[in-house]
Amino acid sequence: MTRVAIITDTHFGARSDSQNFSRYFEKFYSEVFFPYLEEQGIDTILHLGDIFERRKYINFQSFHAAKRYFFEPARKYNIHLIVGNHDVALKNTNEINSPDLLLQDYDNIQVYSDPTEITIGDETIAMLPWVCSDNYLDSMKFLDETRCRLLFGHLEIMGFEMHAGHVSNTGFNSSTFEGFEQVFSGHFHHKSERGNISYLGSPYEITWNDYNDPRGFHILDVDSRHLEFIQNPHSIFHKIVYDDTRQITEEFFNYEDFSQFEGCFVKLLVDNKNNQPLFQRFVQKIEQAKPADLIFEDRTSKHDLSGEDISVEGVDDIRTIIKSMASSFPKDKIKDPLEGLLLDLHQEAVSQTATK
């Protein structure tokens, strides 16, 4: 029995090198990931790309933290790492990449920037890094010629969810990989599977799009093909529904664990606020836990959009509003591209927002 850990899209230095996210990442590795590998006697890690967040440079503080909570504890493991799109400095080539430049001191880490076959136990597996214009022909030739039954990559495939509810309209057709028994990929942060293709998802939440979407890592038995998901129990994004007509009572303050919000991002959804002093006390309890950010959403209000009153009751995020606005256009040839463009712009804005 040959078992390996698979992790992907770790994005060290995420959210503009936010220290809140760095501490959140460290909690996962110190309390979940490495203790589990130690307990299970697993000595091999496959990393499927985007180990770093920044494409052009590294923040020294973020790299120092990543060395402390990941690279140094990982010295006892054999790590096979493929290059992802966030790891490369240029869009058209994988030649200049951060793992090759930054991880030379770690002889236990093998970096693959070109299509490669490696042996794990008794199985030869295929490793396919980010496909760009420079390596496209070699990658297609590799996929055509390899006899490996298992493929591990950092792939962009049409029809899979990038984030929950947001499907990719670009990339490879899934039929490109129909010759493999199983395909495991990084790149899209939402965990999903269809046919022989599995997107494994990121190990933790990075944006509000990840809220309430399971995160973690996987253990693969290479021989039996059994894939086990180990869920990350920690969250950095929290939503609280406040309704003092039915659930926020004096007793609530005695049992709610407000300490869980320390260093986290909290969204307080206000359905009813009839008792102002009680509401102020509740907010104060959250603030005393020292969250990284606390925002309010009054779900009883209405907003005038395009001359119509659109109720936002039950709306969880901007993405839902975008979909609602786009649906008002009668023709799909207008509605679908507009919705995709607005969602892409929203995601880019979220990714570029500096959260410190």
Side-chain angles (χ1 to χ4, degrees):
M1 182 173 66
T2 303
R3 301 171 73 213
V4 298
I6 313 176
I7 194 169
T8 184
D9 295 272
T10 49
H11 288 276
F12 299 140
R15 301 305 296 271
S16 299
D17 301 290
S18 164
Q19 293 307 297
N20 287 308
F21 279 89
S22 181
R23 287 186 287 269
Y24 168 57
F25 293 176
E26 181 168 7
K27 189 173 184 179
F28 164 73
Y29 293 109
S30 63
E31 297 183 9
V32 182
F33 184 68
F34 287 120
Y36 187 89
L37 301 193
E38 185 77 22
E39 176 187 327
Q40 296 295 315
I42 293 171
D43 61 7
T44 300
I45 300 172
L46 304 184
H47 193 299
L48 304 190
D50 283 1
I51 194 166
F52 295 107
E53 167 72 9
R54 300 282 196 177
R55 295 174 172 87
K56 300 290 187 180
Y57 58 88
I58 189 74
N59 176 285
F60 291 150
Q61 190 173 15
S62 294
F63 188 41
H64 176 75
K67 291 180 70 172
R68 181 183 68 248
Y69 62 69
F70 183 81
F71 294 111
E72 289 301 323
R75 281 190 182 274
K76 65 175 68 174
Y77 301 93
N78 300 312
I79 300 179
H80 300 275
L81 165 67
I82 63 176
V83 170
N85 60 304
H86 273 254
D87 299 318
V88 298
L90 303 174
K91 290 185 177 181
N92 63 338
T93 179
N94 292 348
E95 183 178 0
I96 304 175
N97 65 81
S98 53
D100 268 339
L101 294 171
L102 297 173
L103 304 180
Q104 295 180 7
D105 290 341
Y106 296 92
D107 55 10
N108 64 309
I109 301 178
Q110 300 297 316
V111 178
Y112 305 99
S113 57
D114 296 310
T116 308
E117 293 183 357
I118 66 173
T119 300
I120 301 293
D122 296 327
E123 187 83 21
T124 301
I125 65 174
M127 304 288 278
L128 184 63
W130 180 246
V131 179
C132 57
S133 59
D134 185 53
N135 70 359
Y136 178 80
L137 293 179
D138 287 340
S139 297
M140 295 303 100
K141 181 180 179 181
F142 175 79
L143 291 174
D144 183 57
E145 295 181 351
T146 183
R147 302 278 72 86
C148 294
R149 294 174 293 176
L150 302 181
L151 173 68
F152 298 81
H154 194 87
L155 308 169
E156 184 174 9
I157 305 175
M158 289 187 294
F160 285 85
E161 290 180 277
M162 304 166 65
H163 302 279
H166 188 189
V167 176
S168 174
N169 296 318
T170 61
F172 289 104
N173 191 295
S174 58
S175 61
T176 304
F177 310 99
E178 61 187 7
F180 293 95
E181 181 182 331
Q182 286 181 283
V183 177
F184 306 99
S185 183
H187 188 47
F188 295 160
H189 291 189
H190 175 67
K191 173 179 163 60
S192 67
E193 62 179 73
R194 188 175 71 242
N196 64 330
I197 300 173
S198 297
Y199 272 98
L200 304 184
S202 57
Y204 26 62
E205 300 166 345
I206 299 177
T207 75
W208 269 110
N209 288 325
D210 305 332
Y211 172 76
N212 206 29
D213 195 22
R215 292 293 189 261
F217 65 102
H218 293 76
I219 303 297
L220 175 67
D221 185 325
V222 178
D223 302 319
S224 70
R225 308 294 199 258
H226 176 67
L227 184 69
E228 180 183 5
F229 176 57
I230 311 300
Q231 186 164 347
N232 179 0
H234 305 304
S235 296
I236 197 170
F237 295 105
H238 298 270
K239 290 183 181 180
I240 307 172
V241 178
Y242 183 92
D243 184 350
D244 58 20
T245 65
R246 59 184 177 86
Q247 70 179 53
I248 308 298
T249 64
E250 289 290 334
E251 290 77 15
F252 183 82
F253 291 91
N254 297 325
Y255 68 80
E256 179 67 12
D257 181 15
F258 289 89
S259 64
Q260 66 180 301
F261 304 133
E262 182 178 359
C264 294
F265 297 80
V266 181
K267 183 180 292 186
L268 185 58
L269 310 176
V270 183
D271 282 349
N272 285 288
K273 186 179 59 176
N274 297 321
N275 188 328
Q276 187 64 27
L278 190 67
F279 177 74
Q280 291 176 345
R281 282 186 56 205
F282 187 76
V283 172
Q284 186 179 42
K285 291 286 287 186
I286 299 175
E287 291 176 337
Q288 288 173 347
K290 299 180 179 180
D293 188 37
L294 173 61
I295 59 177
F296 301 85
E297 182 178 320
D298 186 353
R299 302 205 295 187
T300 64
S301 65
K302 294 183 178 181
H303 298 274
D304 185 9
L305 296 174
S306 301
E308 299 181 2
D309 284 339
I310 299 177
S311 172
V312 296
E313 182 176 356
V315 172
D316 286 337
D317 52 39
I318 295 175
R319 296 170 59 81
T320 308
I321 297 176
I322 290 173
K323 290 175 179 290
S324 176
M325 291 176 62
S327 66
S328 65
F329 288 84
K331 296 181 179 180
D332 288 344
K333 66 180 180 180
I334 297 176
K335 177 179 73 68
D336 293 342
L338 176 62
E339 179 180 324
L341 175 61
L342 291 173
L343 290 172
D344 288 341
L345 289 173
H346 169 57
Q347 179 55 37
E348 182 67 20
V350 169
S351 299
Q352 295 298 324
T353 298
T355 307
K356 303 215 175 157

